[in-house]
Amino acid sequence: GGIVGYYWTSHFKTEFDLSSSSQDETYSFEPIALPGSPTILPLQRDHDFRVTTASAGVIGQFFENAWFHPFVSAGVELVREREHIETSLPIGLSRDPRTPFIPDFQPETRERYGARPYLATGFKAYVSERAFIRTDIRTSWSSDGLAALAWRSGVGVDF
């Protein structure tokens, strides 16, 4: 990801942030009943997902003319969640025409969009007059509660 910001004073800054996660995988098993049969099948679903966010926020930075600057931040992030799901039939399941109908599961892709507030805290540590290392912990919430918790770190330059 990347961050661009503007200092209004030595302690108050606005930032715009664009970031994306790497692709990750999870697996789930879902029992389904076959139509016209008492048989229950465990379907394996492979979920590949990626999260992309664009956010705007304000930062309150502490200390004056110090090499170490703790800060707190708050703002709003726009979120795009993309999930690709592949469904596998159980191993050894016969495709014999006398067996009950088994649906043909097609891969599906879901995209969700939303906006949610966030809070962050962290620090900048200068390694030269303008170059620094930055790390923070950021949380965001949705109507269901805690939506994300991220530890972020990187390097930067003040212009």
Side-chain angles (χ1 to χ4, degrees), residues 52-103:
T52 303
T53 62
S55 63
V58 294
I59 287 185
Q61 184 169 284
F62 306 102
F63 301 148
E64 185 74 38
N65 295 323
W67 67 273
F68 181 79
H69 296 276
F71 64 86
V72 293
S73 176
V76 174
E77 63 184 12
L78 304 175
V79 181
R80 174 186 179 251
E81 296 172 335
R82 182 182 182 279
E83 179 179 26
H84 181 76
I85 303 166
E86 300 246 355
T87 302
S88 304
L89 292 173
I91 295 175
L93 185 62
S94 170
R95 291 247 183 217
D96 186 322
R98 295 172 290 180
T99 60
F101 170 75
I102 299 172

Side-chain angles (χ1 to χ4, degrees), residues 22 42 48 52 67 97 105 114 117 131 141:
S22 58
D48 295 327
T52 303
W67 67 273
F105 295 98
W141 293 272

Side-chain angles (χ1 to χ4, degrees), residues 1 4 18-19 24 32-33 35 43 45 56 65-66 81 96-97 100 104 113 116-117 119 121-122 138-139 148 158:
V4 175
L18 182 62
S19 62
D24 203 359
I32 66 161
L43 294 181
R45 295 189 188 259
N65 295 323
E81 296 172 335
D96 186 322
D104 185 20
Y113 297 89
R116 54 193 187 202
L119 289 176
T121 186
R138 183 168 163 167
T139 61
D158 285 336

